[in-house]
Amino acid sequence: MDEMSGCVKSLLDNDEELLQAAVDTLLKIAENILKDPSNEKFRSVNLSSSVVEQKLIPAIGALEVLFLMGFEEGNDKLILPKDDPLTNLRTYRQQLLKLKQERLKRSPTTAKGSVSNILTPELQERELKLRSNLINEFERVLIYESPAIQEKARHIMPVQDLHERARSKLSAINKEVRKDEKPMDFQDCVLVELLAWFKNDFFKWFDSPTCQQCHCQMTAEGSKPPTEDDHAWGGSRVEGYCCKDCGTVDRFVRYNHPSKLLETRQGRCGEWANCFTLLCRTLGMDARYVHDYTDHVWTEVYSQSQGRWLHADCCENKLDNPLMYEHGWGKKLTYIFAFSKDEVVDVTWRYTTKQNEVLKRRNDCRETWLVSTLRDINKQRQAAFSEAKRHFLEYRLVSEIAEFFASNRTLKESENEGRCSGSLSWRLARGETQAMGNSSYTFQLKQEEIEKKEFMVKYSSARDEYMRVSAGEVIKGWHAGIKSAKDIIRKHETDWKMVYITRRERSSIGEISWIVDWSNTGLKAASILIVFQHATFENGSVTWQLCTGDKCFLGNKEGVLELTEGDLQHETTKLELSAHLSNGQGENAWQQAQLFRQSDSSLDQFPFLIHIKYY
C-alpha cells in the first residue's frame, strides 16, 4: 500500500458500495483501452453519463485518478490523447488492482464512508426533507426572472454609472493580469462595480435596531408572529426587539421577496444575496443563488471571459474567493448548492480543499442518491428547453465538474481573511473572524526576550512577514500579528511594483492595531521606539496613536515616535499601537492612505518597527 498514490488511497474514504463501484468502473475504462488502444470510443469518458454520474463523480479520488492516468478535458468529456504512451494508465491500473485485492475482500463493516448506504427510516426521512428543500429553493429563484421586478430594479440601479466605471477600469485591470491568466471582459468589470456599489452605497447590514426615543441599541426579545402583509412578502420570520431603558418595542421582518428588499435595503446575508442575485439577473448576467448549509448564502456569476462560475459575496464585497469560508472564516462545510433558473448544482467542491473531511460530514443523504436526485430535478426543469440549450448546459456542467476535481487550488491571501460583515460580537459568536485564529494576536515576551530584556519586531510589506529579532521568529502574513483590523488589505501594484497596507476598495475608513504585553514578566519598560512609515496622496490621511496604560501619544509626520523612561508610567505593562486611515478623493480614495509602502523587491527593508528595552 505504501507505493500507492494519494488519490488511489483516497478512494478508501468512500463507503464500501461506492468504493467498489468506482474501482470497478476505473478498471473497466483502463482495461478497455489496453485491450483496443486505437478505439476512440474507449479513450473518452462522458461525464454526464449515468454510470459516471453515479459511480465516479460522487467518489473521493475517482476523477483525480482519471486525470493521473492521462485523461484531459475535451469539449463535453474527458479524453485520453491518441499519442499518450499509456504508461501512467498501466501504473494506475496496477494500483487499482492491488487496492481491490487488499481492500475489497475485507468485510464491509470496515468501510469509512461519509454515510451508510443502508437506507434506514431515519436516512430516508432526511433524504425526503433534502429533496423537498432543493425543489422549493429551485422554484423560488424563478422570481428573479419577473420582468416587472427586474424593471423596478433597473430604475433603482445606477446602470449608466456602473457601465462607465467598468469601461474606465477594464484596460487598467487587464494590464495587471499575468500571462498565465485570462483577461477580464466588460461584464466582469460591471460585476466588480456592482459588488462595490451594493456593499457601500445601497444595502445596509442589520444587527439590531436603534431606539427612536433613547437612541441606543435595542435588545432581542425572541420571535414575533408575522402579519398577513409580512407573509405576502415572504416574511414568515419576525424578530422582536425591546429598549431596556424606555420599554419601546420594535420588530424586524426577514423578508424573502426581492421586490420588497429593493425598498427595505437592509438585512443579513439572506436578504443581501437574495437582492443582489436579482440585480445580477436584471443586468443580464447568468447568475445563481448559492446556499451553504452551514448558514450563509451568496451569488455565483458565470464569466464568459474566464469560462467558469465566479463566487461573488456581496456582504463582503469579495469576488472569486471561494476558499475564504473554509480558510478565512473557519467553516466546517457540508453541502453547498447553487440554484439558477436552469439547474441546481452541488458546488461544495469549489469551496473546499479538504474534500475528504467534508464528505465525512455529509450525513443527510447517500452521495449516489444526491447525484441521481439532482439529475432528475434538472431534467424536469429542462424538459421544455431546446436541444441546443440542453447540450450547452450539459457541456458547461461537465466543464464545471472537471474544474472541481482537476484544478490545483492555491490559497489567495484574500481567502485567509475573516468575515467583515456584521458586528464583531456577531462574527465572533459564529466563529467567522480571524480573531478565532490568526488575528486578535498579542505579542507576549518569550524567554529569550525576557533574558535579553529587549523586544524587537519589524514588518516588511514586500516579504509580508514579521521578524521577531530578539526571539529569532518569523510570522507570515500581515494579519497574523495584529490585534484587530477593519476594512484593511495588503495591496500589490504589479505595474508599479509597489506593495503596502491600505483600505478595502470603496471603504471610507480603515483601522488596524497591534499589542505588546509584558505583564507576566516583572520587567519595566525603559524606552520604546516606534517606526511607522506611511504615505498619503491627495487629501488621504493616516493617524497613529500609541497608548501605554492610560497615557496616549499621537504619531508625528516623520513616522518615528520615541518614549523614554520619563514618558512612561511605572506600572506600564503593555502598549497598543493603532492606525486610522481615512479621507482621499475620487473613486481611488481608498488607496490614498497607505501604510508601509515599499518596492516589492525591497526584501531587506522594514518600514515598521517596535523596539522596547526593559530593566
Side-chain angles (χ1 to χ4, degrees), residues 133-146:
N133 289 340
L134 291 171
I135 292 174
N136 289 339
E137 198 85 69
F138 201 18
E139 289 297 319
R140 189 195 64 80
V141 298
L142 291 177
I143 198 169
Y144 302 139
E145 309 310 308
S146 164

Side-chain angles (χ1 to χ4, degrees), residues 191-254:
L191 178 58
V192 171
E193 294 303 317
L194 181 65
L195 276 167
W197 170 78
F198 192 88
K199 164 78 172 177
N200 297 302
D201 302 322
F202 184 68
F203 226 74
K204 302 299 180 185
W205 187 268
F206 179 88
D207 280 316
S208 62
T210 300
C211 177
Q212 297 300 312
Q213 304 296 324
C214 306
H215 304 289
C216 60
Q217 291 298 110
M218 303 178 78
T219 304
E221 291 283 313
S223 300
K224 301 294 181 183
T227 66
E228 288 187 14
D229 187 61
D230 296 336
H231 277 302
W233 297 107
S236 59
R237 291 183 297 156
V238 180
E239 301 172 0
Y241 292 88
C242 178
C243 177
K244 294 300 184 182
D245 293 335
C246 69
T248 298
V249 296
D250 201 352
R251 59 202 303 273
F252 175 64
V253 184
R254 302 298 304 274

Side-chain angles (χ1 to χ4, degrees), residues 567-585:
D567 301 311
L568 299 169
Q569 295 175 324
H570 183 72
E571 64 274 13
T572 297
T573 58
K574 70 177 181 179
L575 68 79
E576 179 170 354
L577 179 69
S578 61
H580 182 93
L581 289 69
S582 61
N583 298 330
Q585 294 181 348

Side-chain angles (χ1 to χ4, degrees), residues 64 67 164 172 309 320 362 381 391 424 450 474 553 593:
E64 289 91 329
F67 285 111
E164 288 176 357
W309 291 94
D320 201 19
R362 286 161 64 103
R381 174 65 58 85
H391 180 74
L424 178 59
I450 295 173
V474 173
F553 306 85

Side-chain angles (χ1 to χ4, degrees), residues 493-511:
E493 294 181 344
T494 55
D495 50 351
W496 294 99
K497 299 187 182 304
M498 300 298 290
V499 63
Y500 49 85
I501 304 296
T502 189
R503 286 171 282 176
R504 291 184 188 274
E505 186 170 1
R506 297 285 188 91
S507 297
S508 58
I509 293 174
E511 297 173 341

Side-chain angles (χ1 to χ4, degrees), residues 269-314:
C269 59
E271 290 86 353
W272 281 63
N274 196 350
C275 188
F276 183 77
T277 307
L278 165 69
L279 299 188
C280 290
R281 290 296 300 132
T282 301
L283 291 177
M285 299 177 185
D286 198 347
R288 56 194 191 187
Y289 180 89
V290 182
H291 185 177
D292 163 24
Y293 274 41
T294 60
D295 194 22
H296 190 46
V297 288
W298 57 88
T299 308
E300 285 184 348
V301 176
Y302 190 78
S303 168
Q304 295 292 341
S305 70
Q306 307 299 305
R308 59 189 177 88
W309 291 94
L310 301 181
H311 150 262
D313 191 324
C314 58

Side-chain angles (χ1 to χ4, degrees), residues 323-468:
L323 299 179
M324 59 186 266
Y325 308 111
E326 183 175 72
H327 292 269
W329 296 19
K331 274 181 168 289
K332 304 296 183 184
L333 302 173
T334 55
Y335 298 93
I336 303 177
F337 298 105
F339 302 87
S340 73
K341 63 182 178 64
D342 299 322
E343 59 190 349
V344 52
V345 181
D346 179 4
V347 296
T348 309
W349 317 116
R350 173 173 290 116
Y351 296 90
T352 180
T353 58
K354 304 173 183 178
Q355 183 184 357
N356 293 6
E357 293 180 19
V358 171
L359 194 62
K360 291 175 182 178
R361 290 193 291 266
R362 286 161 64 103
N363 298 312
D364 285 351
C365 66
R366 296 160 293 168
E367 294 298 320
T368 50
W369 174 91
L370 180 59
V371 172
S372 176
T373 297
L374 293 178
R375 185 181 67 246
D376 291 345
I377 292 174
N378 287 334
K379 281 185 176 179
Q380 291 179 27
R381 174 65 58 85
Q382 297 170 13
F385 293 1
S386 67
E387 184 177 350
K389 183 171 183 179
R390 286 198 302 269
H391 180 74
F392 166 74
L393 292 173
E394 180 179 301
Y395 165 70
R396 191 170 66 177
L397 182 59
V398 167
S399 299
E400 184 172 20
I401 293 169
E403 173 199 340
F404 290 160
F405 297 103
S407 59
N408 294 320
R409 313 297 295 277
T410 302
L411 189 66
K412 306 170 189 173
E413 179 184 344
S414 54
E415 290 174 319
N416 236 344
E417 299 174 358
R419 188 174 191 153
C420 69
S421 56
S423 67
L424 178 59
S425 59
W426 187 80
R427 287 178 279 144
L428 286 170
R430 295 167 61 93
E432 295 171 349
T433 74
Q434 288 182 322
M436 304 300 289
N438 289 337
S439 70
S440 195
Y441 182 82
T442 296
F443 286 101
Q444 294 181 320
L445 270 60
K446 297 181 178 294
Q447 189 59 39
E448 304 94 317
E449 295 163 327
I450 295 173
E451 292 172 357
K452 293 177 182 178
K453 296 184 178 180
E454 181 182 44
F455 171 85
M456 182 188 296
V457 65
K458 53 186 182 179
Y459 171 78
S460 164
S461 299
R463 293 172 176 264
D464 193 25
E465 63 184 29
Y466 298 86
M467 291 188 64
R468 199 160 170 175

